[in-house]
Amino acid sequence: MTALVYSEDELGKIDGKVANGLVRHSEKYDIVGVIDSSKKGLDAGEYLDGIKNNIQVFGNIDEAVESLSEIPEYFIYGIAPLESFLNERQRGAIIRAMKMGMNIVNGLPEFFSEDKEFVQTANKYGVSISDIRKPPARKDLHIFTGHINDIKTPVITVFGTDCAVGKRTTAVKLVEALKQEGRNAVFISTGQTGLLQGSKYGIAIDVLSSGFSTGEVENAILQAVEKEDPDIIVVEGQGALSHPAFTSSSAIIRGAMPDAFILQHPPKRINHCDYPQIPMPSIESEIKLIESFSKSRVIAITLNHEDMTDEEVDNTVLEYQNKYMLPTSDVLKHGCDKLVKELFKVFPALAQQKRQHADS
């Protein structure tokens, strides 16, 4: 399914995290372009990570359609701001995409399928609207059962010291690395971008009532175990456990009952994004909070290299490894080898499973 991603003036920025994620990884959609007039003409992959992936950035929808061989099937709204309401320019882009015959995919908690103008336009031009974060009907939601305690498969989560620090990216990269090592690793998404990327298991839990968030996390893991028989499960974190604006982290811990954590941190970030009056927590305080809340250990640290040079990243990796005595990596620059090695150390049975698969 071909898709054009809207990320006007936000590609590569914090609020462009949905677009950033889809440019880096997408199993569900074939991303054929990004809309961002401030980066017009660039290769999106090269702009984000220095590696070309032939996803061109266009100045507007008309330019994209004119350049592409065919009109994309889907138009994905790829911006995720704190305040989710659309401005007139953004609304105009969505209307324009519908008039061109593109189905709309929305990751905001502002549901397009409840917007009168959008619904009328979609009906007129015969296109669909999908609200990824719209909760299932109450009858289809799950409450916590406690069956997560019966799971023998190792469950790890990637948490962070703030929102928008790359938890999902690290989790997805780690799952890919484990698969390359011959392990059946399964990713559990807890946010809209992971679902858009094609995750088979999970739900956007931040729009659920507190009574169902824990149960939905647990249910996603139980479903993955039943259907995939995985060697290991990697759960995406949300927000930060210490962040006063988010409750999702506590629901993930309660629902997943993780056996270990990886902690993602942006060393150059001084205050929480979107909350400049709230200072960032220290790695020490976040580790202490996670471990006391969950009774499980943080086994590795991963970096978000925003505003850092390569030299600063390398120096910080060494500094953190010496200071915290934990393997540290920037997975976008250095890969996941350290993380995989540590997982094999923490979970010895996981280290043997490739050999068992080869013998079978």
Side-chain angles (χ1 to χ4, degrees), residues 62-304:
D62 291 84
E63 179 187 308
V65 170
E66 185 178 342
S67 298
L68 297 168
S69 58
E70 58 184 21
I71 295 176
E73 299 171 77
Y74 293 88
F75 184 80
I76 302 174
Y77 188 82
I79 303 175
L82 179 64
E83 295 183 358
S84 62
F85 299 102
L86 301 175
N87 59 38
E88 287 305 310
R89 182 180 187 182
Q90 294 162 345
R91 291 184 65 86
I94 294 163
I95 295 291
R96 181 62 177 157
M98 286 194 278
K99 289 181 176 179
M100 287 188 163
M102 287 180 254
N103 300 295
I104 305 301
V105 181
N106 167 42
L108 293 175
E110 176 189 356
F111 303 136
F112 294 178
S113 60
E114 297 176 0
D115 184 294
K116 184 177 180 180
E117 182 184 17
F118 286 166
V119 171
Q120 290 177 342
T121 305
N123 289 337
K124 180 177 180 179
Y125 291 94
V127 298
S128 64
I129 297 175
S130 299
D131 290 311
I132 301 302
R133 282 163 86 176
K134 196 168 190 177
R138 189 179 180 88
K139 65 180 179 63
D140 297 321
L141 290 168
H142 300 84
I143 60 172
F144 183 76
T145 66
H147 293 314
I148 192 69
N149 291 305
D150 301 327
I151 299 300
K152 305 303 181 186
T153 306
V155 176
I156 70 163
T157 60
V158 180
F159 266 32
T161 52
D162 195 6
C163 61
V165 294
K167 297 180 288 289
R168 184 202 66 258
T169 296
T170 290
V172 169
K173 290 289 186 184
L174 179 57
V175 167
E176 291 174 350
L178 286 163
K179 287 180 177 179
Q180 289 174 2
E181 289 291 326
R183 296 344 184 252
N184 183 16
V186 173
F187 172 65
I188 306 293
S189 176
T190 55
Q192 74 273 22
T193 307
L195 298 174
L196 286 168
Q197 288 177 320
S199 175
K200 293 168 61 177
Y201 302 98
I203 191 170
I205 66 170
D206 63 351
V207 293
L208 301 178
S209 65
S210 59
F212 292 107
S213 297
T214 300
E216 284 297 324
V217 173
E218 178 194 44
N219 180 68
I221 295 171
L222 295 176
Q223 290 296 312
V225 169
E226 177 183 348
K227 296 177 181 179
E228 306 290 343
D229 188 25
D231 299 322
I232 186 169
I233 291 172
V234 181
V235 182
E236 172 193 16
Q238 292 294 324
L241 187 58
S242 64
H243 201 307
F246 302 99
T247 60
S248 301
S249 293
S250 59
I252 292 169
I253 290 176
R254 290 186 169 103
M257 297 290 184
D259 300 293
F261 292 81
I262 292 169
L263 182 63
Q264 180 104 355
H265 179 67
K268 285 293 188 75
R269 195 177 294 184
I270 305 301
N271 301 305
H272 282 301
C273 72
D274 295 324
Y275 295 90
Q277 74 278 20
I278 305 177
M280 284 287 291
S282 66
I283 291 178
E284 294 94 335
S285 66
E286 199 70 27
I287 290 176
K288 183 177 181 180
L289 181 61
I290 290 170
E291 293 186 343
S292 62
F293 191 98
S294 69
K295 311 304 180 186
S296 295
R297 291 193 304 114
V298 173
I299 62 169
I301 297 170
T302 49
L303 303 183
N304 176 319

Side-chain angles (χ1 to χ4, degrees), residues 13-81:
K13 298 180 182 178
I14 289 173
D15 285 352
K17 64 181 182 179
V18 175
N20 301 340
L22 288 169
V23 166
R24 288 178 170 133
H25 176 82
S26 180
E27 299 176 21
K28 185 174 183 179
Y29 299 100
D30 176 15
I31 307 301
V32 295
V34 174
I35 303 299
D36 185 341
S37 61
S38 65
K39 289 94 181 177
K40 175 181 175 180
L42 299 178
D43 180 282
E46 185 175 32
Y47 176 75
L48 288 179
D49 301 318
I51 302 173
K52 286 187 176 183
N53 61 4
N54 296 316
I55 297 177
Q56 187 174 343
V57 183
F58 299 100
N60 55 54
I61 298 174
D62 291 84
E63 179 187 308
V65 170
E66 185 178 342
S67 298
L68 297 168
S69 58
E70 58 184 21
I71 295 176
E73 299 171 77
Y74 293 88
F75 184 80
I76 302 174
Y77 188 82
I79 303 175

